[in-house]
Amino acid sequence: MQQERLLKVLVIGDLGVGKTSIIKRYVHQIFSQHYRATIGVDFALKVLNWDHRTVIRLQLWDIAGQERYGNMTRVYYREAVGALVVFDMTRASTFQAVLKWKKDLDSKVALGSGRPLPAVLLANKCDQQRYGLCSKMPKLDNFSRDHNFVGWYETSAKDNTNIDAAIMCLVQNIMAID
Ligand code: GTP
Ligand code: MG
């Protein structure tokens, strides 16, 4: 018997960190330098043949960075089972915002058991080696553990670095829950 699982995954993080680009890369294998801010929320779907009896419908909720200042996130987060929290390696302020997003998430949604949603941290734009934090990026193993992320990755939507790996890590953690 085939079973189908619908997984709602949130993609959050500050303005311009690359959330939409990561999703476009993952779902459509495209990248554009052109920036158009997401308004509210956008959606994308990726179907994964997980194992011989499980098909996953991965519903990606692409939440606009500017929504951190609004009061809609509680509505968007409802029934989510995991999250990608993204920052831009070239802009330190977006790294500082990571914990604000994580706190917003954990205060508004949890698993049925009351446990926090599995979340993976993405240090995006790792192709920009010469700028900002990139050259002196510390390893985030301790940070990630201390703040309850199930893992972290340096990613590039532009070069297609670690996007699949980061999302696979999240899905594996979600699927391990039950
Ligand atoms: P909001 O919708 O405003 O919250 O932004 P966002 O997080 O969706 O960012 P978006 O994906 O629109 O990307 C913002 C800008 O960064 C765009 O110009 C992208 O081309 C660029 N960008 C995204 N990912 C990467 C990356 O991995 N490397 C480089 N060099 N640029 C990137
Ligand atoms: Mg966007």
Side-chain angles (χ1 to χ4, degrees):
M1 260 286 281
Q2 280 264 328
Q3 61 159 343
E4 207 176 82
R5 292 278 310 269
L6 177 69
L7 303 182
K8 172 175 172 179
V9 165
L10 306 168
V11 185
I12 57 179
D14 263 4
L15 275 166
V17 296
K19 300 176 296 295
T20 300
S21 302
I22 287 166
I23 293 170
K24 290 241 158 80
R25 168 59 78 190
Y26 182 63
V27 175
H28 306 294
Q29 291 299 332
I30 53 170
F31 175 78
S32 159
Q33 301 276 1
H34 179 71
Y35 175 40
R36 237 174 88 222
T38 304
I39 308 294
V41 62
D42 251 324
F43 307 93
L45 182 76
K46 174 104 167 177
V47 178
L48 300 172
N49 292 309
W50 189 246
D51 60 29
H52 62 285
R53 57 189 184 90
T54 316
V55 172
I56 294 177
R57 297 176 71 80
L58 191 64
Q59 197 180 72
L60 297 159
W61 285 52
D62 177 8
I63 293 166
Q66 61 195 18
E67 288 294 317
R68 186 154 63 81
Y69 309 102
N71 42 29
M72 285 299 286
T73 56
R74 187 183 299 279
V75 176
Y76 297 148
Y77 293 173
R78 198 172 288 156
E79 309 212 340
V81 294
L84 301 172
V85 184
V86 186
F87 72 96
D88 174 348
M89 284 175 76
T90 69
R91 287 185 294 138
S93 65
T94 69
F95 178 62
Q96 282 145 23
V98 159
L99 292 183
K100 296 176 188 161
W101 280 101
K102 185 70 163 65
K103 201 176 284 173
D104 189 57
L105 181 72
D106 290 341
S107 67
K108 291 174 180 168
V109 65
L111 298 175
S113 61
R115 306 251 315 150
L117 302 194
V120 172
L121 178 63
L122 275 63
N124 193 42
K125 308 196 190 181
C126 71
D127 56 281
Q128 299 285 85
Q129 285 305 333
R130 274 172 299 123
Y131 302 94
L133 289 178
C134 290
S135 53
K136 44 180 194 282
M137 256 295 283
K139 293 288 168 228
L140 294 179
D141 301 286
N142 289 336
F143 178 89
S144 161
R145 198 170 325 112
D146 292 349
H147 298 288
N148 254 307
F149 290 95
V150 297
W152 75 280
Y153 292 82
E154 289 186 7
T155 61
S156 167
K158 185 174 179 214
D159 292 353
N160 196 16
T161 307
N162 277 339
I163 306 286
D164 277 48
I167 297 175
M168 274 308 106
C169 168
L170 180 63
V171 173
Q172 247 146 19
N173 273 277
I174 294 168
M175 293 301 280
I177 285 166
D178 47 20

